[in-house]
Amino acid sequence: MSALRVAVVGAGPAGMYVADALVLPREGSAVPVQVDVYDRLPTPFGLLRYGVAPDHPKMKMLTRALQRTLDDPRVRFLGGVQVGTDVTVDELRAGYHAVAYSFGASTDRRLGVPGEDLPGSRSATSFVTWYSGHPDAPADDVDLSGVRTAVVVGVGNVAVDVARVLSRPVADLRVTDVPEPVLDRLAASAVADVHVLGRRGPVQAKFTVKELRELGELEGVDVVVDPADLVLSAADEAELAEHPAVGRNLELLREWSQRPLTGAPRRLHLHFWSRPAALEGDGRVERVLVERTRLDGDGRLVAAGAPSPLPAELVLRSVGYRGTGLDGVPLDPATCTVPARDGRVLRDGAVSPGEYVAGWIGRGPVGVLGTNRSDAEGVVEGLLADAPALLARPLGPDPVALLAQRGVTPVDAEGWGRIDAGEVARGQALGRARTKIATWDDLLATARS
Ligand code: NAP
């Protein structure tokens, strides 16, 4: 039987879990599978490498499992290939029996308030990219000089990540792979106050208790919570009863709201019922106009009074990720996701044979890394059920041969292995376990060395 050839677009956790589920031995299925995993970066693992906070080593350990999938002889890594430019989606659809899109949600949502684009205001995602040593974010991309007060807008786990990285002693990050120039800038930072703004109440906050708890354990940081923000309405109590896990967030917040300040050098203020009405400053952010909020009789969020100024030199907008299109792939403009039914891509409302979607670009930017595993398994179950029909279609030109004709040389698993080894070697030379290779030129040169 000829092999089912599948292209996966995006080598982040979602794409790697699709590849893993495809090669997983399963009862009753004798279809041999060959999987090509494409990524625009020369490195695999997407947000696991460039999104999961460097000081979350347990989560980073998932890299080992994903690497095992990449080591499977039926899985091929094609890094540094821009699908849509180097090879088109139509060419992939012609050259493979199936294509699974897992290119994530790569951009940030907008706040929609005046002054949002002033220098000094940036998306939290770009800050994460910077401290993660992403090659699109040069080390001098973030300037913390002169920043004493930072405001983080949003109360999801990304907000917690960036607030923690801004506040924690830089020595804690030396044991991670954060690039040296980034560490230098964090070490020189004089940030003393970080204000995190949640536009709704503590019951509606999106962060999870494990992540929240870490904020209270940072050395040299006092967490400040106003007990008045923690007073619950009857509607909050009802919501809490439905989501008991949120109760643990509340317990922590209540404990912190009672803690006396210790005079620590840094303070992390968690505010609820507060949102930015505008960002202001002369040529760059100098203050955030913070508006108190409340729910009106119809449950809509409205202003509860006139905004008051909060001086701040840095604003990190952490209000969620947003999916963007890929040429040749449908995108629902309302949800910024690829329209699909049970993981099968829809074109004009009908299932498009041989096209699948997994991860954030399919379900939206929600869920933790592990969510992608069950998501991918579901998608692959459908794909394998479709295999007889997919295999019946003759294939067009091999996209890998097309790349070669165009002079595009993908970074393969060995090339990635050289980057991996290079990061360990460079880290060890500095007395660290590893440090990220953080520029395109350096990554490509190391891959091809
Ligand atoms: P998120 O969980 O969707 O949180 C976004 C936050 O932004 C919410 O508090 C939201 O408030 C707020 N927001 C949205 N629009 C706003 C506006 N216009 N003004 C003010 N606030 C606004 O997004 P995320 O933090 O980017 O996380 C994305 C996903 O990655 C989540 O599933 C998260 O759990 C996951 N993640 C997990 C980890 C981890 O496990 N350690 C780490 C990072 C990320 P409303 O609720 O009022 O809309």
Side-chain angles (χ1 to χ4, degrees):
M1 187 190 284
S2 61
L4 181 74
R5 297 200 62 215
V6 182
V8 174
V9 182
M16 292 309 303
Y17 279 131
V18 167
D20 187 54
L22 280 165
V23 296
L24 201 75
R26 54 187 79 224
E27 249 173 70
S29 166
V31 189
V33 179
Q34 286 291 334
V35 190
D36 284 348
V37 185
Y38 289 83
D39 205 290
R40 84 177 180 91
L41 291 172
T43 53
F45 312 144
L47 277 186
L48 180 55
R49 186 174 154 87
Y50 292 120
V52 168
D55 55 345
H56 279 168
K58 268 199 192 143
M59 250 204 274
K60 292 275 189 194
M61 267 157 56
L62 211 87
T63 304
R64 288 193 206 153
L66 301 190
Q67 181 65 49
R68 273 198 294 278
T69 302
L70 213 54
D71 292 338
D72 189 294
R74 292 163 294 175
V75 177
R76 180 164 56 166
F77 177 56
L78 297 152
V81 178
Q82 181 81 56
V83 171
T85 308
D86 296 328
V87 60
T88 67
V89 163
D90 282 350
E91 286 166 341
L92 291 186
R93 291 175 67 196
Y96 292 90
H97 297 108
V99 184
Y101 306 113
S102 52
F103 49 84
S106 57
T107 186
D108 56 295
R109 279 203 218 125
R110 305 278 300 163
L111 269 180
V113 300
E116 172 165 17
D117 293 317
L118 276 174
S121 160
R122 57 187 309 138
S123 68
T125 56
S126 75
F127 187 72
V128 170
T129 301
W130 171 71
Y131 66 61
S132 299
H134 192 292
D136 287 345
D140 60 2
D141 195 35
V142 173
D143 184 4
L144 293 173
S145 58
V147 179
R148 288 199 59 79
T149 303
V151 169
V152 178
V153 184
V155 282
N157 279 330
V158 171
V160 172
D161 279 348
V162 297
R164 191 182 65 252
V165 169
L166 268 176
S167 314
R168 87 174 317 154
V170 80
D172 293 358
L173 297 172
R174 289 217 175 270
V175 295
T176 71
D177 64 358
V178 170
E180 281 289 302
V182 171
L183 280 187
D184 291 345
R185 285 187 171 221
L186 287 170
S189 138
V191 172
D193 289 276
V194 177
H195 294 265
V196 180
L197 306 183
R199 64 177 171 178
R200 296 187 292 154
V203 172
Q204 292 79 30
K206 297 269 175 57
F207 45 57
T208 40
V209 69
K210 187 172 140 291
E211 282 62 31
L212 184 64
R213 186 175 297 117
E214 285 177 76
L215 297 183
E217 294 165 353
L218 299 175
E219 207 189 304
V221 180
D222 275 335
V223 181
V224 186
V225 183
D226 182 350
D229 275 4
L230 307 181
V231 176
L232 303 189
S233 67
D236 288 332
E237 296 284 4
E239 199 173 333
L240 192 60
E242 276 180 39
H243 304 282
V246 172
R248 290 187 298 168
N249 288 348
L250 216 58
E251 274 169 35
L252 266 182
L253 292 166
R254 286 198 172 122
E255 186 204 321
W256 292 341
S257 74
Q258 305 301 325
R259 264 195 205 173
L261 293 186
T262 65
R266 288 179 176 178
R267 284 158 301 280
L268 211 164
H269 311 253
L270 298 176
H271 306 267
F272 298 95
W273 302 110
S274 301
R275 70 181 175 194
L279 277 51
E280 290 184 343
D282 187 6
R284 59 169 297 116
V285 170
E286 291 171 4
R287 75 197 79 83
V288 178
L289 298 188
V290 180
E291 184 172 74
R292 296 291 289 171
T293 56
R294 64 177 178 82
L295 294 176
D296 70 6
D298 299 323
R300 276 184 315 226
L301 197 66
V302 292
S308 51
L310 173 62
E313 300 80 27
L314 174 70
V315 174
L316 298 176
R317 307 178 310 259
S318 185
V319 296
Y321 288 80
R322 184 162 54 92
T324 51
L326 177 60
D327 253 0
V329 181
L331 191 81
D332 180 335
T335 58
C336 297
T337 57
V338 174
R341 189 183 307 137
D342 299 329
R344 294 178 177 90
V345 172
L346 301 176
R347 287 187 185 264
D348 301 322
V351 166
S352 169
E355 286 188 291
Y356 302 83
V357 63
W360 278 5
I361 197 60
R363 66 170 192 274
V366 288
V368 293
L369 284 187
T371 316
N372 292 305
R373 182 173 205 150
S374 45
D375 185 357
E377 280 165 5
V379 172
V380 167
E381 204 172 300
L383 192 160
L384 292 178
D386 299 342
L390 299 175
L391 280 163
R393 186 174 60 83
L395 293 185
D398 177 5
V400 177
L402 293 178
L403 287 172
Q405 282 166 24
R406 291 168 191 162
V408 179
T409 311
V411 173
D412 58 12
E414 285 73 35
W416 154 238
R418 283 189 284 277
I419 293 172
D420 192 26
E423 292 190 339
V424 172
R426 291 183 195 199
Q428 288 180 351
L430 294 163
R432 302 174 58 191
R434 70 183 293 149
T435 54
K436 284 254 176 61
I437 296 177
T439 68
W440 275 97
D441 286 351
D442 207 355
L443 284 165
L444 292 173
T446 309
R448 298 191 169 127
S449 58

